[in-house]
Amino acid sequence: MLLRFTKMHGLGNDFMVVDMVTQSVRLSPEQIRDLADRRFGIGFDQLLLVEPPGRPDMDFRYRIFNADGSEVEQCGNGARCFARFVRDKKLTVKELIRVETARGDIELRVEKNGDITVNMGEPILDPWDIPFKTDRQSITYNLEVDGRELEIAAVSMGNPHAVLQVDDVDSAPVEKLGPVIHRHIRFPERCNAGFMEIVNPAEIRLRVYERGVGETLACGTGACAAVVAGRLRGMLEETVTVTLPGGSLSITWKGEGYPVMMTGPATRVYEGQTRV
Ligand SMILES: N[C@H](CCC[C@H](N)C(=O)O)C(=O)O
């Protein structure tokens, strides 16, 4: 069949977005990997499916697949593109859009300046729910990697993140340590590995080696997880500018019991169609 899609990105974290409200298709993990290929396919970090809601109080359901074909629980940059997509396609005229994901509900708000604000829900810190193997919950954990101990934070935004603080993201060993942390045995469902440099209490720089993809130009849930990790260590203010290789996000977290709020852009690149 001919499948219509829109190519989009959030700060260079790029997506194939498919309207599954007015069309219907089932894609196997192998087909997703083929479509994600940047030479033989369309090329993307994640595939986003826009589906009708499963509950009457929600507007849509949001499914996310990494380039390796794995289905995952949450994608922050994708959520902003989701909002832009459903508004541009006139699938809704609402300014506040309620969306079901695999791990909870999120709310998307289209701002007057075109940015999108996402209520990402509360961070998940209970190791059992991340999941992360440890005998007790803590603000940081010592992770043994290649015979040395790394101090990390373990945070879930619906999807698992390890956050490592570094002095300088430009020289951080993302290529070397990212893959090792990402598949560490203490993260039974693997994880996204964030490398965070704290510039000042209101600004961090971040690079993320993403589960199922590798290093991306930006990671929305990674930005949220990094701010939560820095706040829990008493090193960051409530609202933080997170600068990633692809651009900057504004993240606000008032503390435990509050949701993480993320604001940033969403960009449409082109409309396409492909045979599947
Ligand atoms: N790779 C992530 C999913 C996409 C997250 C990222 N693209 C974002 O913007 O949050 C995972 O496997 O949990």
Side-chain angles (χ1 to χ4, degrees):
M1 74 171 274
L2 208 52
L3 184 65
R4 294 187 314 304
F5 68 90
T6 302
K7 188 72 176 25
M8 304 185 78
H9 73 83
L11 302 180
N13 180 201
D14 67 333
F15 311 107
M16 174 183 180
V17 189
V18 177
D19 164 4
M20 298 290 268
V21 175
T22 64
Q23 49 187 1
S24 177
V25 69
R26 289 182 66 82
L27 295 171
S28 67
E30 185 185 6
Q31 285 177 297
I32 294 170
R33 287 191 291 273
D34 291 345
L35 290 167
D37 190 289
R38 294 196 182 279
R39 290 181 173 75
F40 296 101
I42 290 158
F44 52 76
D45 291 333
Q46 279 91 25
L47 166 69
L48 310 181
L49 301 186
V50 177
E51 297 186 342
R55 299 186 346 236
D57 59 329
M58 306 305 283
D59 297 306
F60 297 98
R61 188 196 337 248
Y62 170 31
R63 292 178 71 189
I64 304 130
F65 297 83
N66 283 323
D68 70 355
S70 59
E71 182 166 8
V72 292
E73 310 88 343
Q74 191 54 272
C75 177
N77 288 321
R80 299 195 314 277
C81 289
F82 189 108
R84 163 80 49 247
F85 180 87
V86 294
R87 286 286 295 263
D88 290 354
K89 295 291 180 185
K90 302 203 178 354
L91 293 174
T92 184
V93 293
K94 290 184 176 181
E95 286 191 8
L96 183 66
I97 304 162
R98 292 178 51 77
V99 182
E100 284 175 72
T101 71
R103 277 293 294 271
D105 303 334
I106 56 175
E107 279 186 350
L108 318 176
R109 179 183 296 283
V110 180
E111 305 294 355
K112 297 270 184 289
N113 69 353
D115 277 355
I116 312 289
T117 294
V118 184
N119 176 335
M120 295 290 293
E122 293 183 40
I124 299 163
L125 301 170
D126 180 336
W128 182 262
D129 294 326
I130 291 174
F132 175 66
K133 289 183 176 175
T134 179
D135 54 13
R136 61 177 177 77
Q137 181 171 334
S138 175
I139 289 174
T140 61
Y141 303 93
N142 286 327
L143 202 67
E144 178 154 327
V145 171
D146 294 343
R148 53 192 269 221
E149 292 225 323
L150 297 178
E151 187 180 24
I152 64 148
V155 179
S156 170
M157 292 307 301
N159 58 344
H161 289 265
V163 182
L164 181 71
Q165 188 176 345
V166 295
D167 294 333
D168 171 22
V169 284
D170 294 328
S171 61
V174 178
E175 297 79 8
K176 180 173 181 294
L177 285 184
V180 178
I181 296 171
H182 150 259
R183 60 171 181 270
H184 198 281
I185 193 167
R186 292 179 67 184
F187 285 96
E189 294 176 14
R190 301 182 294 164
C191 72
N192 302 280
F195 297 76
M196 167 175 68
E197 172 190 341
I198 295 183
V199 177
N200 62 57
E203 185 180 357
I204 66 172
R205 298 176 68 213
L206 181 69
R207 291 171 64 186
V208 182
Y209 184 95
E210 282 200 34
R211 177 176 62 169
V213 184
E215 183 173 4
T216 56
L217 290 176
C219 180
T221 52
C224 296
V227 170
V228 168
R231 296 258 308 130
L232 289 172
R233 297 176 75 164
M235 303 175 84
L236 294 177
E237 294 171 355
E238 278 189 15
T239 296
V240 178
T241 298
V242 180
T243 300
L244 301 116
S248 297
L249 293 171
S250 177
I251 307 291
T252 295
W253 186 48
K254 292 184 175 178
E256 299 209 39
Y258 289 92
V260 182
M261 306 299 290
M262 167 186 60
T263 299
T267 307
R268 192 174 61 186
V269 180
Y270 67 84
E271 300 293 334
Q273 52 188 22
T274 183
R275 289 218 169 277
V276 291

